[in-house]
Amino acid sequence: MTSSSSIPCCNRLGACRFPGLHLARLFALVLLCWAGLATAAAPEISREQMKGLDEQVQEIKADVLAIAAELSQLEERLLFPSSTQLSVFVSLEEGASYRLDAVEVQLAGRPVAHHIYSFKELEALQKGGVQRLFTGNLPSGEHELVVTVSGKLRSGADFRRSENFKFTKGVEPKMVAISLGQPDGDGIGVALGNW
């Protein structure tokens, strides 16, 4: 005995309908609709998951940066105890219109820092930035600091100037500031102050 769904129904013109085939098409259509809905919902879920992952990554990044900053401070305290610490900073006077190429610092006749400036670093100094040029250990007492600067004046002339300074280091950390001023004659003004 055959099922009625597998028997084709034909009209007078010869067109036949197969009820089983109609059900198969309907089932395929339902499957396609379901697959389409599932595909549309998947990116939404993955976007939410990606957003959550991105937030977690940002939190981890912030934690890592905070830990790195703490480690850097701890390292600085260990390497440069407050009783012997000396830090030297460099800044440009406002409106300085020359090109600073390099700054060299000597302590007790020994070179301790030499920095050649890039365009971006010079631009940052001209906008009021301050650079920490040197951090080291120094015993208490009188000390001599020699600062040598070189660069190019607005007129195109090269300049190189050295200045000697004396300062006293106590038991507390010492921070000195080298302030580079406006051009005067064939060079620029160099001043030393406390930070």
Side-chain angles (χ1 to χ4, degrees):
M1 185 172 179
T2 57
S3 163
S4 63
S5 63
S6 63
I7 297 172
C9 300
C10 298
N11 62 17
R12 284 188 262 161
L13 299 174
C16 300
R17 293 178 15 197
F18 296 88
L21 187 60
H22 179 71
L23 279 177
R25 283 185 184 164
L26 184 63
F27 182 70
L29 183 65
V30 169
L31 276 179
L32 284 174
C33 289
W34 179 80
L37 288 175
T39 305
E44 213 170 283
I45 291 169
S46 69
R47 261 188 231 134
E48 288 175 13
Q49 288 174 342
M50 289 300 289
K51 189 176 175 184
L53 281 174
D54 190 44
E55 288 172 0
Q56 287 177 355
V57 167
Q58 294 303 323
E59 287 174 10
I60 291 170
K61 269 182 167 177
D63 290 345
V64 167
L65 289 175
I67 290 168
E70 285 178 23
L71 283 175
S72 177
Q73 288 176 353
L74 184 61
E75 181 184 23
E76 190 173 308
R77 279 187 217 142
L78 289 173
L79 291 175
F80 311 111
S82 61
S83 60
T84 61
Q85 187 179 43
L86 170 72
S87 296
V88 178
F89 297 87
V90 173
S91 65
L92 287 183
E93 195 173 290
E94 189 178 336
S97 58
Y98 51 85
R99 190 187 80 202
L100 178 66
D101 288 339
V103 173
E104 181 179 335
V105 174
Q106 293 182 16
L107 267 172
R110 277 187 328 118
V112 293
H114 180 87
H115 189 80
I116 298 172
Y117 290 89
S118 67
F119 175 76
K120 285 190 173 182
E121 290 171 329
L122 182 57
E123 191 178 47
L125 287 175
Q126 288 170 337
K127 288 181 178 176
V130 176
Q131 175 200 14
R132 179 158 56 176
L133 186 62
F134 171 74
T135 299
N137 293 311
L138 201 64
S140 300
E142 291 282 327
H143 299 279
E144 185 177 344
L145 184 81
V146 179
V147 179
T148 304
V149 294
S150 60
K152 190 177 281 279
L153 296 173
R154 203 170 196 171
S155 64
D158 292 331
F159 69 86
R160 181 176 174 84
R161 173 170 281 187
S162 290
E163 294 285 342
N164 294 1
F165 300 99
K166 288 190 177 177
F167 66 94
T168 304
K169 164 82 175 72
V171 291
E172 68 281 350
K174 179 79 173 177
M175 292 184 277
V176 295
I178 299 168
S179 178
L180 306 177
Q182 297 294 336
D184 59 347
D186 58 348
I188 61 167
V190 181
L192 188 73
N194 289 320
W195 190 260

